[in-house]
Amino acid sequence: MIQFEHVSKSVGSKTVLTDIDLVIPTGELVVLAGPSGCGKTTTLKMINRLIAPTKGRVLVDDRDVASRPVLALRQGMGYVTQHTGLFEHLTVRENLALPAQLAHWDAPAIERRLAQLAEQFSLPKGGFFDSYPYQLSAVEKQRVCIARAFVADPAVLLMDDPFAALEPGERSRMQDEFVTMQALSRKTVVFITSQIEEAIKIADRLCIMEKGHVLQYDKPEEILKNPRDGFVREFVGRNRIFTNPEEICARDIMLTRPATTHPEVPMLKGMEKMRLAKVDSLLVVDEDGYFLGIVRAEHVHRCDNKEEAIKSVMREARVTVRPDETVPQLLAKIRRYRVNNIPVVEENRLLGLITNSSIVTILSQQSINLEEVEGL
Amino acid sequence: MNLLSFLTSVGFWPALAQQILLILLTVVLALAVGLPLGFASYKYHALTPPLIGLVNLLQTLPAFAVLGLFMALGLQNFTTSLLLAFLYTVLPVIFGTEKGLRRIGRPPIDAALGMGMTGWQVLYRVLLPLASPQILPGVRRAVITAVGTTTLATLHGGGLGVLILDGIYAGDAQRVLAGAVPACLLVLAANGGMALLHRRFVPAPLRRKEQREVFIKK
């Protein structure tokens, strides 16, 4: 168990952390999330004493880290720094062996351990262990880096935004693997990220920080259901889980990039756009983003001269909604006007589009009893 | 007259020996002072601006003029020769060290400390190898400067410089050459030797994009 007791940190006149109180239970994956500069890295580095608190204390297994021998403390924790932090002058093998060497393992034991890790982290076979970091891809570097943190089999892992350098696809795959690995090994993990999606995906507990304060610390589901007002709500954004359809506004569930067109565009091109976007209508918007109307495929078909501009067949929208209208209001409008979708408009500008199916999809992902929602 | 007996007759051998001794002492002194100073100016960033100022100031002074100053002060012995050569050799070492260490950045150092290395282990297993691509060119430059400056500095302290100066006074071209040619060969040898050291001490992956520094100096 890792505990922060009234920990504050200031550097010169600048306050980095203010009165942090945090309990990280053994075997849980705790994610510290927040924008850059919110103090999450400082918090992490206090656990392995790379940074000392100005006030308060940090306890690991009920003992103040400041009173423990620093080298032994650090050797008992795996650490992944920002931007990987592999040693460029050493081979993969040498990089991986270092933590075990520092703990005075003998060579055969290290070799056995590396083989085991190669398996566990699906590192390529062959000459991979003799290559240098510059010869590796971003994903391979990341794998080696995380493997290095596991080498001496520490009980605690500290990971400072380890997936930041990866592309979205690779990142998502690494997250999945890491979640599996964590489920199997049950280490105490403190993980830093600035992406709320990543945090939600991997966290057992989520700690949202901003400007050196812990704003909310709870299970991810709790935070998504009941985010505190202000920054947390904003940070959670569209990932929020709603318990009541009344809480959900058009803004929360609208498609933000519906298929649009300009009124002067010839119908032929409009048809082409519908075909490519797989839709049967386009929203007509002028160059300043003002919403003008809707053009439907059937209207274009009925027109003989398809060279003409779209504005000649455009219709005014039967109904629009404001971004703050709630789901019951949306459903009522859909029923009353018998439409499949409704443009979201504010001060004559188009913000997005609500479709019948998007409402159903969104509602089914929330913790809402669908049978109790009227008008679905 | 054969070459060997000619060289012996003009006192070449002791001059060469003394020059090499002076070069070695200069380089050892430059390393002993330059490496810690380079580390200090990396560690305490505030030290860097005054050091850069000193570098610029001292490198602007022509070595020959500084030698003149020493002579005017009546200082003409082995120690002043050493001091003069040292002034011009220590700076590239400081600079190379500072630059090399500065380039490393935070992550490898945090990683090294975080896995439980002692300060010394961080220094010799991580910092020095990673900084070596910059430290060694600095040392190389120091060695080459040392050879050049000691030739100048030995004008009155014994060494190859004496042969050149005596030869000029006596209008003896052979004697000038006996000093000048070996002095040039020494520089080339030092340069080659340092290239070998570079290959020996800089880890292979860091030698990929070897910056070939061009020595345009005075």
Side-chain angles (χ1 to χ4, degrees):
Chain A
M1 188 166 66
I2 302 168
Q3 278 169 285
F4 284 77
E5 285 183 353
H6 303 290
V7 171
S8 298
K9 174 75 186 176
S10 38
V11 179
S13 60
K14 203 170 149 250
T15 308
V16 187
L17 290 178
T18 315
D19 202 22
I20 302 290
D21 261 315
L22 210 57
V23 175
I24 296 167
T26 304
E28 289 208 15
L29 199 167
V30 172
V31 173
L32 309 179
S36 66
C38 69
K40 44 195 195 318
T41 295
T42 309
T43 307
L44 186 85
K45 284 182 171 177
M46 283 180 174
I47 302 173
N48 63 358
R49 276 182 65 183
L50 286 177
I51 293 178
T54 316
K55 256 193 247 138
R57 47 184 205 155
V58 181
L59 303 154
V60 174
D61 297 331
D62 298 321
R63 288 169 63 197
D64 190 346
V65 290
S67 69
R68 295 177 53 170
V70 67
L71 297 184
L73 177 83
R74 288 172 180 168
Q75 283 167 14
M77 294 177 177
Y79 180 38
V80 180
T81 63
Q82 275 171 308
H83 319 108
T84 82
L86 286 180
F87 301 130
E88 292 288 325
H89 61 296
L90 301 178
T91 61
V92 169
R93 182 192 312 280
E94 291 164 335
N95 263 291
L96 288 175
L98 259 178
Q101 285 169 355
L102 293 174
H104 303 291
W105 291 28
D106 56 14
I110 294 177
E111 203 52 41
R112 275 198 304 278
R113 179 69 180 144
L114 293 197
Q116 208 180 350
L117 285 171
E119 194 71 34
Q120 194 179 347
F121 287 84
S122 40
L123 302 175
K125 302 262 182 300
F128 183 74
F129 269 56
D130 297 311
S131 46
Y132 286 101
Y134 77 91
Q135 295 165 314
L136 308 185
S137 69
V139 192
E140 287 169 337
K141 271 191 196 174
Q142 213 50 65
R143 280 175 199 277
V144 173
C145 221
I146 297 173
R148 187 173 67 178
F150 273 80
V151 164
D153 202 22
V156 175
L157 278 182
L158 309 176
M159 310 184 72
D160 196 343
D161 212 351
F163 304 145
L166 303 182
E167 288 161 23
E170 293 168 340
R171 188 165 184 160
S172 168
R173 203 154 2 103
M174 288 294 284
Q175 291 162 356
D176 293 337
E177 281 181 30
F178 189 67
V179 167
T180 314
M181 210 180 295
Q182 161 63 6
L184 295 175
S185 63
R186 279 283 145 205
K187 293 185 183 300
T188 308
V189 184
V190 186
F191 188 107
I192 284 181
T193 183
S194 52
Q195 267 194 5
I196 183 71
E197 288 80 9
E198 182 166 88
I200 296 166
K201 195 166 162 189
I202 65 173
D204 292 324
R205 269 164 208 274
L206 180 51
C207 172
I208 302 208
M209 299 182 67
E210 194 214 10
K211 294 180 184 155
H213 292 268
V214 170
L215 298 185
Q216 197 168 1
Y217 179 49
D218 213 327
K219 298 216 155 82
E221 200 191 343
E222 276 310 305
I223 293 185
L224 296 184
K225 278 183 187 165
N226 304 306
R228 292 232 173 104
D229 284 335
F231 179 76
V232 179
R233 188 163 293 207
E234 186 189 312
F235 192 62
V236 165
R238 296 175 69 91
N239 300 290
R240 201 170 153 190
I241 298 176
F242 298 96
T243 48
N244 183 346
E246 305 274 345
E247 289 174 353
I248 311 176
C249 300
R251 176 189 287 116
D252 298 320
I253 59 172
M254 66 188 182
L255 308 173
T256 47
R257 285 163 180 262
T260 61
T261 184
H262 191 270
E264 299 297 341
V265 171
M267 279 178 250
L268 273 177
K269 291 192 181 169
M271 288 302 291
E272 191 60 18
K273 181 152 187 183
M274 285 189 225
R275 202 173 59 76
L276 288 174
K278 301 192 175 70
V279 292
D280 64 357
S281 62
L282 292 176
L283 301 177
V284 184
V285 174
D286 73 4
E287 57 271 26
D288 297 320
Y290 285 106
F291 177 59
L292 301 176
I294 296 182
V295 55
R296 291 179 204 288
E298 59 201 78
H299 300 150
V300 177
H301 283 307
R302 262 183 251 139
C303 180
D304 294 329
N305 183 3
K306 301 213 169 30
E307 304 276 314
E308 268 182 60
I310 272 175
K311 64 180 178 192
S312 62
V313 292
M314 173 186 90
R315 306 280 175 90
E316 211 173 294
R318 253 181 279 171
V319 57
T320 62
V321 292
R322 292 187 316 276
D324 56 354
E325 286 185 67
T326 62
V327 163
Q329 291 173 304
L330 293 177
L331 291 171
K333 280 192 172 171
I334 286 175
R335 254 186 315 164
R336 176 137 53 103
Y337 293 94
R338 291 160 206 260
V339 287
N340 291 321
N341 47 48
I342 308 183
V344 183
V345 176
E346 188 175 44
E347 290 173 350
N348 291 327
R349 279 169 196 279
L350 181 69
L351 298 182
L353 182 71
I354 303 277
T355 69
N356 213 343
S357 63
S358 71
I359 297 184
V360 176
T361 317
I362 298 271
L363 286 185
S364 64
Q365 290 162 353
Q366 314 297 324
S367 50
I368 295 172
N369 187 349
L370 290 185
E371 285 165 14
E372 287 172 10
V373 183
E374 252 180 89
L376 257 182
Chain B
M1 201 186 333
N2 96 15
L3 184 62
L4 278 181
S5 56
F6 164 69
L7 288 179
T8 311
S9 75
V10 293
F12 170 77
W13 299 114
L16 182 68
Q18 189 162 19
Q19 170 119 17
I20 289 176
L21 177 70
L22 197 56
I23 292 169
L24 288 179
L25 277 176
T26 309
V27 171
V28 167
L29 196 63
L31 288 180
V33 175
L35 288 175
L37 265 184
F39 187 79
S41 83
Y42 156 72
K43 201 87 186 164
Y44 308 99
H45 208 15
L47 269 180
T48 313
L51 266 177
I52 292 177
L54 190 68
V55 171
N56 286 337
L57 183 72
L58 287 179
Q59 296 212 332
T60 333
L61 301 178
F64 201 54
V66 176
L67 179 71
L69 285 178
F70 280 153
M71 284 164 62
L73 291 173
L75 301 168
Q76 296 175 29
N77 51 33
F78 191 79
T79 319
T80 52
S81 299
L82 190 64
L83 191 64
L84 181 70
F86 169 74
L87 272 184
Y88 288 87
T89 47
V90 70
L91 300 168
V93 180
I94 297 177
F95 246 36
T97 310
E98 198 267 347
K99 201 168 96 188
L101 291 171
R102 177 90 53 222
R103 262 174 29 118
I104 295 174
R106 206 58 229 177
I109 300 173
D110 278 346
L113 287 172
M115 64 175 63
M117 287 193 192
T118 63
W120 284 109
Q121 283 172 327
V122 175
L123 184 67
Y124 74 83
R125 296 187 83 150
V126 177
L127 290 182
L128 287 181
L130 283 176
S132 63
Q134 277 73 40
I135 297 181
L136 271 142
V139 175
R140 184 176 182 168
R141 189 170 174 159
V143 170
I144 291 164
T145 315
V147 179
T149 326
T150 45
T151 311
L152 197 59
T154 50
L155 282 177
H156 282 266
L160 295 174
V162 179
L163 287 185
I164 301 176
L165 200 66
D166 288 357
I168 292 174
Y169 282 144
D172 182 351
Q174 277 181 325
R175 192 180 277 216
V176 174
L177 286 179
V181 173
C184 294
L185 290 178
L186 267 183
V187 174
L188 293 178
N191 193 28
M194 287 309 296
L196 285 178
L197 279 186
H198 193 89
R199 198 159 297 173
R200 170 74 185 74
F201 280 113
V202 180
L206 304 179
R207 260 186 277 129
R208 283 175 297 140
K209 283 176 252 138
E210 257 175 54
Q211 306 102 312
R212 297 229 167 271
E213 261 186 82
V214 184
F215 294 105
I216 303 174
K217 241 202 103 192
K218 291 197 214 44

